[in-house]
C-alpha cells in the first residue's frame, strides 16, 4: 500500500482477516436461506465472532486503547489513549438475506477527532483506507471524490428508514426522497452505510444521506470522505458528531446544492 502507516497496516490486516472469515460464513448463509430455521442465529454468531477476532487483533497490536463496538459497546482503555470504533459486520441485513454487499469497518478516534479509517468489502476484496493528512485510498489507488457539479447529473446513495429505525422521521425522509427523485439522476440504497461513505470517497456516488446511524457505521467512512476531498455534516447543515441523528456526505461541488435540496424538501 502506498505510504500506509503501521497503524493503517494493522487496521487493514485485521479488517481483511475478519472479512475473510465473514466471507466463509456468507457461503453458509446462502445455503441456510432455504432451511426452515433460517440463518438468523448463524448470522448473529458470525457477527460476534468477527467482533471477537477484531478485538483480539487490535488489543494485541495496540494494548491499552479503548473500544466502541457494535456488539460489545464501550470498553475503557488507559486514559488518554486512542479509541477504536468498530463495526464487525456493516450491512447485517444484506448478509442475512444472502445479498453480497457488506463490510468490516474500523475507525480510530484520538483526542475527540477521527484520524484513521479502514473499510473492507470481502466480496469485492476492496480495502478502503484513509488517515488524517495522508489521503484516502482504495487498495493501492488514491481516491478523490467525483467532480460532478450539477444536480441533474448527481447520483445519490441513501438509507431508507425501516421497521426499527432509530430516527423517527419517515415523513421528512419521504419529502427528501421526493426532492431527490425530482432533481437528480437517481438514488441507490445498498444497505451498508460504511460502504456508502466509501463510495462517496471513491467518486462512485456524488452524495449520501441517512438518519439513525450509529457511530460504528460512520466513523471510518467520515475519515475517508474528508480525506478524499468531500464534506460531511448533519442533513440540517450543522457539524457532524458521532452521536448525530443524521449524516450527509457529498463531493465538494455538490455539498451545497444537494444539502439545500434536502433541507428545502
Ligand atoms: C446498517 C447500515 C445501514 C442502515 C442500517 C444499519 P448494520 O448497519 O449499514 O445503512 O440503513 O440502519 O445501521 O446494523 O448492518 O451494522
Amino acid at each position: 500500500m502506498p505510504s500506509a502507516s503501521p497503524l493503517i497496516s494493522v487496521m487493514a490486516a485485521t479488517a481483511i482477516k475478519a472479512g475473510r472469515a465473514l466471507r466463509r460464513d456468507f457461503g453458509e448463509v446462502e445455503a441456510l436461506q432455504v432451511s426452515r430455521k433460517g440463518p438468523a442465529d448463524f448470522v448473529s454468531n458470525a457477527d460476534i465472532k468477527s467482533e471477537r477476532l477484531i478485538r483480539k487483533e487490535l488489543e494485541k497490536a495496540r494494548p491499552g486503547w479503548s473500544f466502541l463496538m457494535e456488539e460489545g459497546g464501550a470498553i475503557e482503555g488507559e486514559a488518554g489513549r486512542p479509541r477504536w470504533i468498530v463495526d464487525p459486520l456493516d450491512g447485517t441485513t444484506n448478509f442475512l438475506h444472502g445479498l453480497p454487499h457488506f463490510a468490516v469497518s474500523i475507525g480510530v478516534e484520538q483526542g475527540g477527532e477521527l484520524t484513521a479509517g479502514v473499510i473492507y468489502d470481502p466480496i469485492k476484496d476492496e480495502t478502503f483506507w484513509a488517515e488524517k493528512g495522508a489521503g484516502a485510498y482504495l487498495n493501492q489507488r488514491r481516491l478523490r471524490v467525483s467532480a460532478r457539479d450539477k444536480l441533474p447529473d448527481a447520483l445519490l446513495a441513501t438509507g431508507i428508514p425501516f421497521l426499527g429505525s432509530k430516527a423517527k422521521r419517515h415523513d421528512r425522509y419521504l419529502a427528501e426522497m421526493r426532492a431527490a427523485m425530482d432533481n437528480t439522476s437517481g438514488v441507490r440504497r445498498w444497505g451498508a452505510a460504511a460502504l456508502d461513505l466509501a463510495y462517496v470517497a471513491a467518486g462512485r456516488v456524488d452524495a449520501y444521506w441517512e438518519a439513525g446511524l450509529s457511530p460504528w457505521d460512520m466513523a471510518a467512512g467520515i475519515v475517508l470522505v474528508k480525506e478524499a476531498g468531500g464534506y460531511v455534516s448533519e442533513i440540517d447543515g450543522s457539524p457532524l458528531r458521532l452521536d448525530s441523528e443524521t449524516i450527509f456526505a457529498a463531493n465538494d461541488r455538490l455539498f451545497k446544492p444537494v444539502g439545500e435540496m434536502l433541507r428545502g424538501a
Side-chain angles (χ1 to χ4, degrees):
M1 278 175 190
S3 63
S5 66
L7 175 65
I8 289 286
S9 302
V10 162
M11 293 163 73
T14 302
I16 291 170
K17 194 166 178 185
R20 297 220 164 117
L22 285 173
R23 191 171 64 196
R24 286 192 293 276
D25 286 339
F26 186 68
E28 274 307 300
V29 171
E30 286 177 305
L32 284 168
Q33 297 302 329
V34 293
S35 77
R36 272 199 48 211
K37 201 169 152 252
D41 290 348
F42 182 81
V43 171
S44 59
N45 232 339
D47 207 340
I48 290 163
K49 261 186 351 197
S50 176
E51 189 169 289
R52 279 201 195 122
L53 183 154
I54 293 168
R55 183 171 170 194
K56 190 167 143 239
E57 295 291 320
L58 296 179
E59 253 170 1
K60 195 166 68 188
R62 296 289 187 276
W65 287 25
S66 299
F67 283 89
L68 179 63
M69 312 187 86
E70 182 171 22
E71 306 300 326
I75 298 152
E76 284 306 318
E78 291 162 22
R81 308 299 297 278
R83 177 163 80 145
W84 302 109
I85 304 180
V86 176
D87 193 340
L89 171 54
D90 182 53
T92 316
T93 304
N94 283 349
F95 192 89
L96 178 72
H97 287 258
L99 281 165
H101 187 81
F102 52 87
V104 174
S105 176
I106 303 176
V108 173
E109 188 192 43
Q110 258 171 302
E113 208 188 343
L114 293 166
T115 54
V118 168
I119 297 170
Y120 179 59
D121 173 343
I123 299 295
K124 298 174 202 72
D125 197 26
E126 290 185 324
T127 309
F128 298 90
W129 57 279
E131 193 163 13
K132 193 166 173 253
Y137 298 81
L138 164 53
N139 299 331
Q140 310 292 324
R141 183 167 60 84
R142 181 91 193 230
L143 293 181
R144 172 90 207 140
V145 289
S146 69
R148 272 183 214 92
D149 57 1
K150 292 184 190 55
L151 265 188
D153 298 334
L155 183 65
L156 274 49
T158 189
I160 302 174
F162 51 90
L163 186 70
S165 284
K166 278 192 289 178
K168 302 286 171 231
R169 60 194 294 286
H170 292 198
D171 289 338
R172 186 78 214 104
Y173 182 80
L174 284 171
E176 290 161 0
M177 181 57 105
R178 176 158 196 119
M181 288 159 67
D182 284 340
N183 293 289
T184 69
S185 78
V187 182
R188 301 289 181 268
R189 198 303 185 226
W190 275 293
L195 288 173
D196 289 325
L197 288 164
Y199 285 11
V200 173
R204 291 177 179 173
V205 291
D206 307 303
Y208 159 70
W209 87 103
E210 182 159 355
L213 292 180
S214 300
W216 42 84
D217 301 314
M218 306 191 276
I222 291 170
V223 188
L224 266 144
V225 171
K226 287 186 178 170
E227 285 299 315
Y231 293 106
V232 292
S233 72
E234 293 223 43
I235 296 171
D236 69 8
S238 54
L240 187 68
R241 296 183 325 265
L242 274 177
D243 61 354
S244 286
E245 165 119 323
T246 68
I247 181 166
F248 167 53
N251 80 24
D252 45 337
R253 297 158 206 238
L254 283 166
F255 185 71
K256 192 162 178 276
V258 175
E260 284 170 357
M261 177 196 79
L262 294 173
R263 288 188 286 278

